[in-house]
Amino acid sequence: MSKYCCCNRKPDAHKEIEKQLERDRKTRRKEIEIIFFGKTGSGKTTLFRQLQIIYGDEYSDDEVGYFKRHVYKDIVQTIQALIYSMKVLNIQFQDDENLEMAKRVHSVDTFYMKTISEELANAIKLLWNDRGVQTCLESGSVSVSDSAIYFLNDMDRVLEPGYSPSKQDIVRVFIPTTGIQEYVFEQERHLFRITEMGGFNLHTFRCRKLLFQFIQTIHVIFYVADISVFEKTVEGSDSENEVVEAVDLFKLVVLHPWVSRTSVVLFLNKIDLFKEKLKRHNLHDHFPEYIGPEHDVEAGCHFMKNLFLAVQAEENRPIFPHFTCAIDTPGMKRVFDNIIQYTVQSNIKKHKLL
């Protein structure tokens, strides 16, 4: 009798295992994996943080403290870079007394920086308002991040005792991504797993290996390109345009055979800066093939978009472009909501989940 019961249990156990496997398969069908790609400085980390702010929980005190330390680092390191550049370019301080302030700021070690003393804060304010420092900044000899300008122009608030970064501060603070970040959230009864890789360029073989490692299981690629650098050349090159390199990198990513069926969302980022620069620069000077009217935002945007879309025109695969300002939280929420809704609907249709 005991032997008979044992035989009866085996099919039941097998059925239970099959049921569990089917439940797991259904769960996986409701998981959507998205990966961010883009050059360093494109704004992809900002977009990654926007996803966390829009769809996630509030940051913990430890996380807020982490961002605060990087706000301080951003400010001090920018002033230090300007001081060094002034010396190289032989630019004098407007106020001779600021030379002593400069020595004080330049000696600060930002590696373990957690706070800024009142004395250091006053020195930074004096230096930032010095005409010599502003002349150095305007010369373009120092690559200063947009976030640093934002914080330096709001120092009375940021350097106040008891300062705590706002959500906008967290979105803006520049923290280079050197590895891989992952964030998971639930939306529309689907689990979204977002991966952000550290910025790389066309010649970084290490990151190409990472690309091959992660790309096989991805449902959607988010490629972020900074179109506001259309007048700049790649660092270390006399002629290679920044946007052209971003297009070449885009080609490397989207034409890889492992992602031939992967959806691609193209973020043509920093549209706000692009519009401002277009008032001062002729697009034709940097892209001879551009034949549209100069200083025309609509024509300029159309040209930039087509530079990227032409990469895979022959394959007739849809790419979904969006002109974005990564620091605009309400605007990015509208964009992300639309993307998530479309992605969920496509996934439901693909797996017949209804």
Side-chain angles (χ1 to χ4, degrees):
M1 188 71 178
S2 171
K3 194 173 181 179
Y4 176 79
C5 291
C6 183
C7 290
N8 268 349
R9 287 193 192 104
K10 284 184 179 179
D12 291 341
H14 180 72
K15 286 180 182 178
E16 188 56 41
I17 290 171
E18 285 296 320
K19 286 180 181 178
Q20 184 59 49
L21 289 172
E22 181 59 28
R23 285 193 292 268
D24 291 344
R25 280 192 289 269
K26 286 182 177 179
T27 299
R28 284 196 296 272
R29 287 172 192 156
K30 288 192 174 184
E31 287 189 9
I32 295 173
E33 294 196 38
I34 299 173
I35 191 165
F36 273 99
F37 282 113
K39 289 184 59 182
T40 300
S42 62
K44 61 184 174 52
T45 302
T46 305
L47 290 174
F48 182 80
R49 280 193 217 133
Q50 287 284 26
L51 279 169
Q52 293 176 303
I53 288 171
I54 293 167
Y55 301 111
D57 299 325
E58 293 290 326
Y59 284 108
S60 68
D61 290 343
D62 286 343
E63 288 171 323
V64 171
Y66 170 78
F67 289 119
K68 180 179 178 178
R69 290 194 294 275
H70 278 278
V71 168
Y72 290 154
K73 281 186 179 182
D74 205 1
I75 289 172
V76 175
Q77 288 175 350
T78 298
I79 293 294
Q80 288 176 335
L82 287 167
I83 291 169
Y84 177 78
S85 188
M86 286 177 69
K87 185 177 181 180
V88 172
L89 298 174
N90 198 26
I91 297 174
Q92 305 300 315
F93 290 101
Q94 181 184 32
D95 187 339
D96 292 339
E97 292 183 5
N98 284 339
L99 184 58
E100 191 60 37
M101 298 294 179
K103 291 178 182 178
R104 189 174 303 166
V105 173
H106 196 263
S107 66
V108 173
D109 183 358
T110 60
F111 190 80
Y112 296 106
M113 176 172 282
K114 292 184 178 180
T115 186
I116 288 183
S117 67
E118 184 178 353
E119 181 185 23
L120 181 58
N122 290 333
I124 291 170
K125 290 177 184 178
L126 287 170
L127 290 170
W128 180 244
N129 291 318
D130 188 280
R131 185 60 222 162
V133 173
Q134 291 300 315
T135 299
C136 183
L137 178 68
E138 292 164 6
S139 72
S141 60
V142 181
S143 180
V144 178
S145 67
D146 303 328
S147 65
I149 300 296
Y150 165 77
F151 291 119
L152 284 163
N153 284 334
D154 199 12
M155 278 193 293
D156 287 340
R157 175 180 67 88
V158 174
L159 298 182
E160 192 69 23
Y163 160 72
S164 180
S166 66
K167 286 183 178 179
Q168 184 62 204
D169 293 345
I170 290 171
V171 165
R172 284 178 174 262
V173 64
F174 178 66
I175 307 174
T177 305
T178 55
I180 298 169
Q181 298 186 80
E182 187 178 82
Y183 178 63
V184 179
F185 66 93
E186 191 172 343
Q187 196 75 5
E188 301 280 345
R189 298 176 65 185
H190 279 62
L191 193 69
F192 285 81
R193 193 177 302 277
I194 316 294
T195 302
E196 187 222 348
M197 299 182 68
F200 57 104
N201 58 43
L202 200 59
H203 310 292
T204 312
F205 178 74
R206 179 181 66 85
C207 290
R208 288 190 187 183
K209 289 173 68 177
L210 289 174
L211 165 65
F212 301 152
Q213 178 183 345
F214 282 92
I215 211 166
Q216 297 181 78
T217 60
I218 298 301
H219 298 89
V220 184
I221 291 173
F222 282 178
Y223 187 88
V224 187
D226 177 5
I227 61 171
S228 74
V229 291
F230 65 88
E231 91 290 9
K232 293 185 177 180
T233 54
V234 176
E235 187 175 353
S237 169
D238 294 329
S239 58
E240 189 175 9
N241 185 277
E242 283 275 7
V243 171
V244 171
E245 187 185 51
V247 172
D248 290 341
L249 191 58
F250 182 63
K251 182 177 181 179
L252 172 70
V253 173
V254 302
L255 294 188
H256 195 284
W258 289 352
V259 296
S260 60
R261 296 184 180 181
T262 305
S263 297
V264 178
V265 178
L266 172 63
F267 295 93
L268 299 166
N269 197 35
K270 303 192 182 181
I271 184 62
D272 53 331
L273 299 178
F274 175 76
K275 290 177 180 178
E276 285 300 314
K277 284 189 177 181
L278 210 56
K279 296 175 183 177
R280 308 189 304 271
H281 297 272
N282 291 330
L283 200 52
H284 180 76
D285 292 344
H286 309 283
F287 293 88
E289 66 271 33
Y290 175 72
I291 56 174
E294 293 295 354
H295 316 297
D296 186 293
V297 172
E298 185 177 351
C301 286
H302 183 72
F303 175 78
M304 285 291 161
K305 180 176 70 175
N306 285 341
L307 278 179
F308 287 87
L309 297 186
V311 161
Q312 58 85 62
E314 294 180 2
E315 295 191 9
N316 198 31
R317 182 176 60 161
I319 291 175
F320 305 96
H322 295 270
F323 290 98
T324 56
C325 172
I327 60 175
D328 175 14
T329 302
M332 289 315 308
K333 185 179 188 310
R334 289 191 294 271
V335 171
F336 283 136
D337 282 349
N338 289 336
I339 293 171
I340 285 172
Q341 187 177 32
Y342 176 83
T343 304
V344 167
Q345 288 174 352
S346 298
N347 194 59
I348 288 172
K349 184 178 179 180
K350 177 181 178 181
H351 294 294
K352 298 182 175 61
L353 295 176
L354 287 179

